[in-house]
Amino acid sequence: AQSVTQPDIHITVSEGASLELRCNYSYGATPYLFWYVQSPGQGLQLLLKYFSGDTLVQGIKGFEAEFKRSQSSFNLRKPSVHWSDAAEYFCAVGDSGTASKLTFGTGTRLQVTL
Amino acid sequence: KAGVTQTPRYLIKTRGQQVTLSCSPISGHRSVSWYQQTPGQGLQFLFEYFSETQRNKGNFPGRFSGRQFSNSRSEMNVSTLELGDSALYLCASSLGSGGTDTQYFGPGTRLTVL
């Protein structure tokens, strides 16, 4: 069965600093990978997704992620963080080569200091 | 285009009762999935419905059930509520075409069991 690990439970960065959130997955074939963001009391908003092709994917709100098969990683990055980026971020992998039945990581809570 | 809507947004029930949650997908989406989010277990997949049929199922007891109507709206039911069922229940919709389909989440229903 597939699994997702987000090693960092909580990260604090200063506004304007760069950000990298780590995600490692376990999956036999080429995974379908996602990053979602959740603000307090809200549902999940899709930031970006990877299915195949270019390993660097661009998402909304200035986020990007890079798929590295050799490291089984799909890290999320942003060059300059804004205070409004404070939220919880979830990495997910789809089941059996599909984008359904998502398995989520435990999430990384991002705090932004001014 | 309107997003995924879930009703009600908040519910308080007592142990032993049953509850029904509703989800209206994005127009044109035929697949609806349900997830449970708790602080202890994180985000877990409950089930997916497509064309009124359950297509995927997670590892939850039979007290958790769902259905989908011909207009793609979905309901999930939890019978004989337990304290541990307190959670945020998220619904996600997608086109249902499989493969690179993407799930879009609603705001969730916050269920509290007393």
Side-chain angles (χ1 to χ4, degrees):
Chain A
Q2 68 267 27
S3 65
V4 176
T5 302
Q6 292 181 248
D8 303 306
I9 296 173
H10 187 208
I11 283 182
T12 301
V13 300
S14 300
E15 188 174 40
S18 63
L19 171 71
E20 182 168 27
L21 301 182
R22 295 183 292 165
C23 171
N24 292 98
Y25 66 89
S26 173
Y27 186 74
T30 300
Y32 288 177
L33 294 161
F34 306 82
W35 275 99
Y36 285 88
V37 61
Q38 185 177 38
S39 297
Q42 301 299 313
L44 301 172
Q45 181 182 23
L46 178 68
L47 285 176
L48 46 77
K49 59 192 176 186
Y50 173 79
F51 294 140
S52 65
D54 193 346
T55 56
L56 185 64
V57 293
Q58 302 296 322
I60 62 171
K61 304 185 179 185
F63 286 93
E64 66 178 26
E66 185 171 12
F67 171 64
K68 292 185 177 181
R69 183 189 301 276
S70 62
Q71 298 177 20
S72 297
S73 68
F74 188 57
N75 294 348
L76 182 71
R77 300 193 296 246
K78 187 170 185 178
S80 178
V81 169
H82 188 261
W83 64 266
S84 60
D85 293 324
E88 189 148 23
Y89 292 78
F90 293 93
C91 182
V93 62
D95 180 63
S96 301
T98 74
S100 62
K101 196 177 178 182
L102 298 177
T103 297
F104 286 87
T106 51
T108 297
R109 181 164 297 282
L110 173 65
Q111 183 177 355
V112 180
T113 58
L114 301 176
Chain B
K1 192 182 270 191
V4 178
T5 57
Q6 293 186 243
T7 56
R9 291 292 311 277
Y10 301 91
L11 266 178
I12 300 176
K13 294 286 187 178
T14 57
R15 276 184 302 173
Q17 287 187 310
Q18 75 164 12
V19 67
T20 299
L21 312 181
S22 180
C23 172
S24 293
I26 292 170
S27 178
H29 285 192
R30 297 171 62 195
S31 169
V32 173
S33 297
W34 290 88
Y35 293 81
Q36 181 196 63
Q37 185 177 25
T38 60
Q41 299 299 315
L43 279 153
Q44 294 184 286
F45 172 79
L46 280 157
F47 29 65
E48 178 196 9
Y49 285 86
F50 176 76
S51 290
E52 303 178 64
T53 302
Q54 189 179 86
R55 187 158 70 172
N56 277 302
K57 188 178 188 305
N59 190 25
F60 277 81
R63 300 186 298 106
F64 292 82
S65 63
R67 61 177 176 169
Q68 187 180 34
F69 302 94
S70 58
N71 61 358
S72 296
R73 191 177 70 85
S74 176
E75 290 181 346
M76 69 162 280
N77 182 275
V78 187
S79 62
T80 320
L81 283 166
E82 300 176 1
L83 295 179
D85 297 333
S86 294
L88 181 66
Y89 289 89
L90 293 164
C91 165
S93 78
S94 66
L95 290 170
S97 55
T100 59
D101 210 4
T102 299
Q103 294 185 50
Y104 296 91
F105 285 79
T109 293
R110 172 75 62 184
L111 171 64
T112 301
V113 182
L114 302 176

